[in-house]
Amino acid sequence: LYTAPDSCEGRCGEPFSEEDECHCHPECERHHNCCQDYERHCGPDGFSSSRDSIADQELLELSEQLYGVDHNKAQPSDIAINPQHRAGPDETGDQQDRSPQPLYKYVNEELFSKPTYASFIKLLDNYQRATGREEEVTAEELQEQDHFLEEVMKTELMKKLFAFLQGKNRYGSEQEFVQDLKEMWFGLYSRGDGERDSSGFEHVFSGEVKKGKVSGFHNWIRFYLLEKQGVVNYFSHNFNGPWDTYPDVLGLQFSWDGFYKEVGSAFIGCSPEFEFGLYTLCFLARPGRACHLSLGGHRLSIQTYPWTKSTYGSGRSFIATAYVMSP
């Protein structure tokens, strides 16, 4: 299910990419750069058939389809942002607030009453942001996780993603898919000294503080809610995507209660299921590598990393991080 960057499982016939540690296309034998398990998975009697690998072109096509069915995204009239100062490469690290106004001028909070938004927002206060402090998960919090997964799976976007992954023999049933989403995103592991203090969801969507710096925190809804409370201070942006509607992409600098994020990136105005679905797709298709997608005719990439120090199930990996890359 999970495709390791140094394995050919699920990657037979995949096109050559310089970013890959090792290769699984038929030419790799001639070039002596196949992954060690190439023969086992991709040989004539191998486990994986090449039709189950996810080709670059399929990622471009599927991401456009998911973009087209993000029915819960913000409309242009729902959000007004004020990006202000554009930081040069030499400015992103100097922790200067060059934008006196907040990033968000206006958000139509009626969006937040939509079921996927409401169930997503409920999850955000379930975490201790400091790494090294054990997360205690209550029965209520587990119910909130289940409720969020239930709501996103009702959307056309997540149904389309599941149908694609099922067609690639990654999952046999929707129930299996939902169970795996729960483990890869909400399963706990240790970023600190052995305490189960982190999860993919906490890191990516809620944000953490590690060694005095903001870690993760790639979600626009979380940013807006904390900026409104006065605990997030927007400093500048270093990238503004080419989209003239939502979702858009912003690379940004900010502080959270005095802890600094030098370069964060976020989709602006997408639904929770859009981000959750795209990050999941890229984690399953291109873990540890750049995952090249297309949204509304514009290319972009998502980077994911698997957590390598512990696994769940039969050796599957938790999500360590996932974010949209700003060039």
Side-chain angles (χ1 to χ4, degrees), residues 82-85 96-102 233-237:
N82 181 15
Q84 300 162 85
H85 183 78
Q96 296 296 310
D97 181 358
R98 295 186 166 86
S99 302
Q101 304 300 315
N233 180 11
Y234 170 72
F235 280 20
S236 54
H237 70 287

Side-chain angles (χ1 to χ4, degrees), residues 66-117:
L66 298 178
Y67 177 78
V69 297
D70 185 14
H71 304 308
N72 287 326
K73 69 184 176 194
Q75 297 307 309
S77 59
D78 288 328
I79 300 177
I81 60 171
N82 181 15
Q84 300 162 85
H85 183 78
R86 181 161 187 166
D90 54 336
E91 293 178 327
T92 56
D94 64 9
Q95 306 194 26
Q96 296 296 310
D97 181 358
R98 295 186 166 86
S99 302
Q101 304 300 315
L103 174 60
Y104 287 92
K105 285 201 286 198
Y106 168 74
V107 170
N108 174 9
E109 293 193 12
E110 283 180 23
L111 281 172
F112 300 161
S113 60
K114 293 184 180 207
T116 57
Y117 285 80

